[in-house]
Amino acid sequence: MKAFEKQSREMANEFVQSVVFVDDEIFGIEGKADKNHILESEALVNAFSKAGKLCALNNPRNHSDLKDTINLVKKADVVVLDWKMDLTRPDGEDEEADVGELRGEFTLEILESLFKDEGLLKSNLKLIIIYTAETGLSEIANG
């Protein structure tokens, strides 16, 4: 391993102490057998534990859960967000949202909250990762 690569790994290891994964299906959905959308949560937690890192799994179900989710991700060094989260909306809002409309809606809301918090941006460096099992990535990127 080259000196630069070694030093980069050491710096990243020192920086990353806590990771939060946010996914509405983080523990799977009963009756849903799509193995492409399953996050191996136990293996994930164990891997971070072995590395001496804190790993939290957040499973929002309702739009109202996002406030707690946002408070949690503000405290993490690394935030991993699912792009498409299908959360129950507050009463009175349109529950017949098109699938295309759900793509990224709640993830963008979380990101917007993080970026609007000037104190957070000045005091905490974060690594934010977005993942998805969705297809049509060019449409997502341009959407």
Side-chain angles (χ1 to χ4, degrees):
M1 184 181 314
K2 295 180 180 165
F4 176 76
E5 184 180 345
K6 183 180 178 193
Q7 186 177 12
S8 296
R9 286 179 185 258
E10 288 171 0
M11 290 174 65
N13 189 46
E14 287 176 28
F15 166 73
V16 176
Q17 297 302 311
S18 59
V19 180
V20 174
F21 287 80
V22 181
D23 187 339
D24 63 320
E25 297 179 7
I26 206 156
F27 301 114
I29 300 290
E30 196 172 315
K32 227 180 183 183
D34 187 353
K35 296 200 188 268
N36 292 326
H37 291 153
I38 294 175
L39 187 63
E40 297 289 339
S41 54
E42 184 177 352
L44 199 60
V45 170
N46 288 338
F48 279 102
S49 180
K50 284 180 184 176
K53 310 299 178 189
L54 178 65
C55 178
L57 307 176
N58 185 264
N59 187 213
R61 293 287 182 200
N62 303 303
H63 183 263
S64 59
D65 292 341
L66 285 187
K67 183 178 178 185
D68 294 333
T69 297
I70 290 165
N71 287 332
L72 180 64
V73 300
K74 284 181 178 183
K75 296 177 181 177
D77 299 319
V78 179
V79 179
V80 183
L81 301 168
D82 185 12
W83 177 246
K84 181 185 170 214
M85 291 187 269
D86 187 9
L87 307 181
T88 304
R89 298 169 185 277
D91 291 337
E93 286 193 20
D94 181 20
E95 293 189 27
E96 297 294 323
D98 180 31
V99 171
E101 292 174 21
L102 292 175
R103 285 186 172 164
E105 175 185 355
F106 300 113
T107 300
L108 290 172
E109 189 173 330
I110 293 168
L111 291 172
E112 188 176 311
S113 274
L114 291 175
F115 295 137
K116 281 185 176 179
D117 189 335
E118 290 182 27
L120 180 71
L121 293 176
K122 288 179 183 176
S123 65
N124 295 334
L125 179 63
K126 297 219 179 291
L127 173 61
I128 300 171
I129 301 167
I130 311 275
Y131 75 97
T132 188
E134 290 292 299
T135 57
L137 295 179
S138 60
E139 291 146 13
I140 292 171
N142 297 323

